[in-house]
Amino acid sequence: MGFEGEKREEEEGVRMANDFFWSYTDEPHASRRRQILSQYPQIKQLFGPDPFAFLKISGVVLLQLWTATFLHDATWLKILIVAYFFGSFLNHNLFLAIHELSHNLAFSTPNYNRWLGIFANLPVGVPMSVTFQKYHLEHHRFQGVDGIDMDIPSQTEAHVVKNVLAKSIWVILQLFFYAFRPLFLKPKPPGLWEFINFTIQLSLDGAMVYFWGWKSLAYLILSTFVGGGMHPMAGHFISEHYVFKPEQETYSYYGPLNLMTWSVGYHNEHHDFPRIPGSKLYKVKEIAPEYYENLDAYKSWSQVIYMYIMDRTVGPFSRMKRKLSTKANKSE
């Protein structure tokens, strides 16, 4: 890989970068995909929807909505505790279900996936499933491309978040940055599906308040907020592409939380083969182990968060960027 970390300074041997890593090659996944498929064409048999996705999503949605109604007259302390230690896992699971659906991995018909994404969105409390898909597919097609990949922090974030305290606050609020960054830096005009998503979500929110009160809705939104901040499952936001070693820009996680996160931890495998559902991504590594065993990977998302906050050389600038290539990734 050709890359260069520009303007990297040192203070007593250690100082946070003041620019992104810059790569002068294409993102690594398209070429690795071609190599693996040429050697292991049977991997194509893993492509296609997860037949159990609808059932898994429905179970989590109904459980979380029932929990919200159950807590309608609970104390605020109880709501906060249940939101952090229970609801956050459910809502983050649904966020990653929406990620799965953005790749059309529940049904072969794209519109069916959109409808299921809107349904999975309900306990999240805020309409986001349709908009997420638009930006996420660009993250795959143009990984790291300056001005297009909205997964990368803004210059403002990177210049402000420079120490342990700022990074801690950034982690707590990272879901807000993740959600609002593209709306400010690369806004897209809303369409019919966004309107449907918005209308159905606000109708559910209104019904929740009307029949069970504000505490039920607050539980849902708190579950989303705390589950996307200083929380073990939220470690994947950092682990996936934050560069701890300049030679590698995507990292996998092989730990138990994959069971609750649609195996999003298999992130190198996912970017190599985004048409394979999370339930089968482990098979990619089993079939072609030589392509993944030599890559750095994580076993703990909590440790990733700790490393990100405490390592003085790591911050929002710790991402790989590249200029737009004439060749776009056509994996989706």
Side-chain angles (χ1 to χ4, degrees):
M1 169 185 288
F3 63 87
E4 182 178 308
E6 298 181 357
K7 301 178 184 177
R8 293 185 171 263
E9 306 174 16
E10 293 186 355
E11 178 183 328
E12 298 179 353
V14 179
R15 185 172 179 177
M16 188 179 296
N18 56 11
D19 193 11
F20 295 99
F21 292 93
W22 284 91
S23 171
Y24 300 104
T25 66
D26 290 333
E27 56 85 17
H29 302 288
S31 59
R32 186 161 61 222
R33 180 185 311 117
R34 290 191 292 269
Q35 293 172 12
I36 294 175
L37 286 177
S38 67
Q39 188 173 351
Y40 302 104
Q42 67 268 34
I43 281 182
K44 288 186 177 180
Q45 298 174 12
L46 302 177
F47 289 9
D50 177 352
F52 300 106
F54 175 79
L55 293 176
K56 290 186 284 189
I57 291 170
S58 298
V60 176
V61 168
L62 295 176
L63 176 59
Q64 182 68 323
L65 292 179
W66 176 85
T67 305
T69 63
F70 179 77
L71 293 171
H72 73 279
D73 60 351
T75 65
W76 285 109
L77 178 60
K78 182 177 181 180
I79 289 172
L80 180 59
I81 292 172
V82 175
Y84 189 86
F85 291 102
F86 181 71
S88 57
F89 289 91
L90 298 184
N91 275 14
H92 210 98
N93 172 277
L94 292 172
F95 178 82
L96 292 169
I98 290 168
H99 165 263
E100 191 91 342
L101 294 167
S102 73
H103 293 285
N104 296 321
L105 290 173
F107 302 104
S108 299
T109 303
N111 281 352
Y112 294 171
N113 291 279
R114 291 192 184 100
W115 282 115
L116 186 55
I118 291 170
F119 176 67
N121 196 157
L122 293 177
V124 175
V126 180
M128 47 73 65
S129 65
V130 175
T131 302
F132 171 82
Q133 182 182 39
K134 288 184 176 181
Y135 289 104
H136 183 68
L137 295 184
E138 286 188 342
H139 164 63
H140 274 264
R141 292 175 182 142
F142 304 101
Q143 180 175 314
V145 174
D146 188 27
I148 298 180
D149 185 358
M150 291 293 104
D151 192 67
I152 296 175
S154 66
Q155 287 280 348
T156 301
E157 292 171 69
H159 282 293
V160 171
V161 181
K162 285 287 193 178
N163 54 52
V164 170
L165 177 60
K167 285 194 285 184
S168 298
I169 295 171
W170 185 90
V171 168
I172 293 170
L173 300 176
Q174 65 179 322
L175 201 58
F176 288 98
F177 291 108
Y178 191 85
F180 289 108
R181 184 187 305 133
L183 302 181
F184 284 99
L185 299 182
K186 194 172 182 285
K188 295 177 180 290
L192 176 62
W193 281 102
E194 280 93 348
F195 176 76
I196 294 172
N197 189 187
F198 184 84
T199 302
I200 291 177
Q201 185 64 55
L202 290 191
S203 297
L204 182 279
D205 293 348
M208 186 68 67
V209 172
Y210 182 80
F211 290 106
W212 290 282
W214 286 100
K215 285 186 175 180
S216 291
L217 179 60
Y219 163 75
L220 295 178
I221 294 175
L222 271 173
S223 295
T224 299
F225 172 69
V226 298
M230 197 74 74
H231 190 280
M233 289 176 77
H236 76 89
F237 288 126
I238 298 171
S239 74
E240 292 166 357
H241 298 291
Y242 280 78
V243 177
F244 285 82
K245 293 183 65 176
E247 297 82 8
Q248 188 174 328
E249 63 180 285
T250 303
Y251 299 77
S252 288
Y253 155 83
Y254 303 123
L257 287 178
N258 275 316
L259 295 173
M260 303 181 67
T261 56
W262 298 80
S263 293
V264 75
Y266 286 82
H267 215 66
N268 269 300
E269 295 84 345
H270 169 62
H271 270 265
D272 289 350
F273 298 100
R275 295 179 183 174
I276 296 178
S279 59
K280 296 180 181 178
L281 281 175
Y282 73 94
K283 294 183 179 181
V284 175
K285 188 169 183 284
E286 289 182 351
I287 293 171
E290 67 272 26
Y291 287 92
Y292 300 102
E293 288 180 346
N294 292 327
L295 297 175
D296 282 350
Y298 302 111
K299 294 183 179 180
S300 169
W301 277 330
S302 297
Q303 183 183 25
V304 170
I305 294 175
Y306 177 82
M307 290 164 52
Y308 175 82
I309 292 174
M310 301 307 296
D311 189 332
R312 290 197 296 161
T313 67
V314 177
F317 272 133
S318 300
R319 291 293 299 263
M320 191 71 70
K321 273 193 171 187
R322 53 179 49 84
K323 297 298 182 181
L324 180 61
S325 169
T326 56
K327 297 184 292 182
N329 185 347
K330 301 298 184 182
S331 63
E332 280 296 304

